[in-house]
Amino acid sequence: MSNNLRFKTSKFIDETYRVSFKFNNKKYFGFKGDTLASALLANGVHLLGRSFKYHRPRGIMTSGSEEPNAIIQLHDNSSRTEPNVRATEVEIYEGLVASSQNCWPSVNFDVGGINNLLSPILPAGFYYKTFMWPASFWEKYEYFIRKSAGLGKSPKVADPDIYEHNYIHCDVLVIGAGISGIMAAKMAAKNGFKTLLVDEKSHLGGSSIYDNSEFSKINNQITSSWLEKEINEISKLKNLEIKTRTSVAAFHGYNFLLARENLTDHLPINQRENKVRQRLLKIRAKKVITATGSIERPLIFNNNDRPGILLSSSIKKYIDLYGVACGENIILFTNNDTAYETAMSLIQRGIKINAIIDNREQIDSKISYEVEKNNVKIYKAYTVVDTYGYKRINKISIMKLSKDGQTVIGDKTKLNCDCLGISGGWTPAVHLFTQSGGKLKFREEDQVFIPDVYPSDQISIGSCNGDFSLEEIIKNTLFSIKKFLNIENSEYKTIEIVSGLNLSKRNIWLLPSDKPIGKTKSFVDYQNDATSKDIKLALREGFRSIEHVKRYTTTGMGTDQGKLGNMHALGIISETAGTKMGEHGTTTFRPPYTPLTFGTIVGRNVGEFFDIFRRTPIHDWHVENNAKFENVGQWKRAWYYPKNNENMHQAVQRESKSARDSAGILDASTLGKIDIQGTDSSEFLNRVYTNAWSKLAVGKCRYGLMLNEDGMVYDDGVTTRLGENHYLMTTTTGGAANVLGKLEDYLQTEWPELDVYLSSVTDHYATISVCGPNSKKIVSKVIPDLDLSDERFPHMSFKNAKINNIKCRVMRISFTGEHSYEINIQANYGKSVWEKCMKAGKDFNITPYGTETMHLLRAEKGFIIVGQDTDATMTPIDLQMDWIVSKKKFDFIGKRSLYRSDTIREDRKQLVGLLTENPKEILEEGAQIVADVKKSPVEMLGHVTSSYYSPNLKKSIALGVVKGGKNMLGQKLIIPMEDKNINVIVADPVFFDKEGERLNAKL
Amino acid sequence: MFLINCPFCGEREQSEFKAGGEAHIIRPKQPTELSDDEWAEYLFMRKNIKGVQFERWNHVHGCRKWFNMIRDTSNDQIKAIYKMGEKPPVK
């Protein structure tokens, strides 16, 4: 460690606790309390990475979350590796490993540096302009562009850390624990508000906590001492919760905020086991106080990006908070007084300040006189015109500014330095305020945007509200918070403030140079290498909107979201276009304020907790019997049950054959079930289904088709009349919740006069369907007391029954075209009844089948599946299901739409059967259907919706929708595939047992 | 994310609710007597106002009740909430 850069002064650094870490494979030491940035600076390391486009050497520029340059890869190749981490925010711990990004083979020698030399031919929009033609070459270009795009490396394996989400409800949320935030939190908590105070740093007090200057005092104490006492006081308050290392990422409407709390990132890896790494806080606050402070502005001049160039306030923070000098021969370059505070901090520790370059002609403040007294040469009305030093600044050249500040005059002077501090004044951090919907106004006198119109119960205080002097901050905080919280007692008696600072600033967005602008590189967005030249080019090329200039030049589109340079971009645009600042507005501030990890966003919703699984009561049996599952909505449904290494096709063929030859059994518990009661239930069903329900006898079942008001098929299912005023409706598995919602909607809003009550009972019953020629024998063994004779229990009827004294409902309904029974029993008996059926069916080779076989069997019968054979454009007429649409009923949902000019068109897509010329050929679902492949362009007539090989018919069958297909029976059509054209014949959609003999066969 | 005052349950998070489009569109009593244009007016035409809009909402993950809301779509301020069948409290 180079000792002359570390000063023993800071109470935030534990000098008894040495920490070793590795950066770019080299071992360094720092102290507990250091950030990676402060520890590297203490070791004299400034060069941290290469810029995105030109691969220019870049160093640490700031000391906080606004850092554009010092972004590194943390943890290198471990499973925790994380790209784009700001070195200024990483607290070091024993064993930390980090490396530079965007450079190869090393940060010191980077091949991509050639781009810097090529920069004259890499202007804004270079990629757009160059790689657009010829269009067919894009794929080749893309390969190379992709290789050079992106910063850092993403992890290759699963994240080993744990994350979680927390909800917080509070009366008052205070964002930012600087001086105004601390005061606000104290006032709120002491007045009985349940208060939460959050700050992104590990310490409280913001920048005032290391303000040891004699030039600004509160009640005759230096600011840091006064604030320390305040912090001590509030940390004991019961009403106040304080969260450090917590960054508010998003401020949404109605005071809903998201914050990321870092819990273990500062700990050595071996201390992180089984601990939550980061927490996403979902905060709902009655009142929000934003005290997010301000960000120092850089100055925009030629070559303002070299390692060793830092914000002046950051140099101050490094020396005051971390005891680290950023150089041994420092020059400060400023347009306002705050750089003189930095100067005083450096002077007090005996660090050499070679010069201060000040844009201003007149400098009149106590602190500037004090700096001058210490023999620091101040160049008034001067500007830096160039800097030198490839991997670290070693020299600058300066010239005098003209009166209007637009040009430079006189001779060039060169000054040596190893560090340049720049200060362009301050930009209020209004990001969160604007995210919440707040409107900004532009304050002409010091060229800042400040909060104007608040969209919710919130207030901004301190420098994020444009108050920059200590006096303003404290006075306005007291006044505004008292009013905002409507409290009598401010908790503060008289506060006397002394400040030695003058707030004057000479604002020049783009500083002039002796070179023409085309020969300069004045960076506005450091991370994305956008220069003032690029912005001016964009304007010359006709871009006017700030949002367009942003996207064309990529200004403000890096991971730092332009926290430093966006104001300058606006300034340069308005100066060049000759418009007033503020007229353009700003670009949109979008969440997150600082990047969030994916881990934080998903929290515990990973792996099997990613989404909810719904399992049927019989699920365990399926698992034990080797079922493969498919997701239907949130349900896990048994898909097929492979035996002896069968593939899916083989298993489905076997299952389908057994179901028709002897017996099959299906778990149908996932079908939606809605219990309907009330004296108007029949009338209600009349209105929601296309067919008539009034005459359905108690104990009978009926298939129903439900439409949307636009006439398109929405859902289907069998409904059973359990009693005079009692029905049980079944819906499709995926549609259950929506159907219930739709029915409730009509009941509550259109037909409130109907006496009908709906209740979802999907989860209450297990449903077991036994089908096939032997189904009757099997069910009679399971429920011996039930009379299964066809006379007493015909197709489409229902019976109450008991299995071992447990009530159940048995329906004789069929989705396979086979004689079949559906047993509905209280869910917790589902598995045992299923096992009973399996036992009873053993002699009949009862075969469990899954959804795939179900789909095949129903396709043989031409039964539709809503959502597979239909989309939201099929009417019942299109489906050739005219029989189910009542002509007599006065009205039902969707009726009027069935004879709109569009729905009665003859050439609508209609459902047909398709048979391949070669019966072995199986069509692909989704394949296009055409009549003529030679026509150009080929006219698409429709597509295949369902396709299977039927083991019962020993041929391939398919359903599809075809324009005007109803009238094409027997016609030849073509399915063009990648390697061949398949000929098909349009057929009736019912392929098997058209007369329904199997349903009514005497068993 | 809004905080919505369900008229039956009280203040709840927006995630418990589902928006149901424009309010006060009455389903015609005799759809069969309407021309295609008149039916299309009911079926498809919605105002989608930037500004104060009358909307239907459903407390779908709560009491399942539908209700009406007056909301300014330009700033998401909820002006009023009232039950189905009630007259809007403000114009």
Side-chain angles (χ1 to χ4, degrees), chain A residues 58-69:
Chain A
R58 289 283 165 80
I60 297 156
M61 251 207 102
T62 74
S63 52
S65 57
E66 67 272 31
E67 177 62 39
N69 283 345

Side-chain angles (χ1 to χ4, degrees), chain A residues 169-189:
Chain A
H169 295 265
C170 58
D171 294 328
V172 176
L173 168 69
V174 184
I175 312 166
I179 195 161
S180 55
I182 298 276
M183 290 174 70
K186 175 172 152 184
M187 288 163 77

Side-chain angles (χ1 to χ4, degrees), chain A residues 254 709 744-745 748 896, chain B residues 27 36 56 64 66 76:
Chain A
Y254 291 75
E709 204 67 272
E744 278 285 1
D745 187 354
Q748 290 179 32
R896 174 61 185 82
Chain B
R27 188 173 189 272
D36 268 12
R56 294 159 9 108
R64 277 179 26 205
W66 284 88
D76 283 339

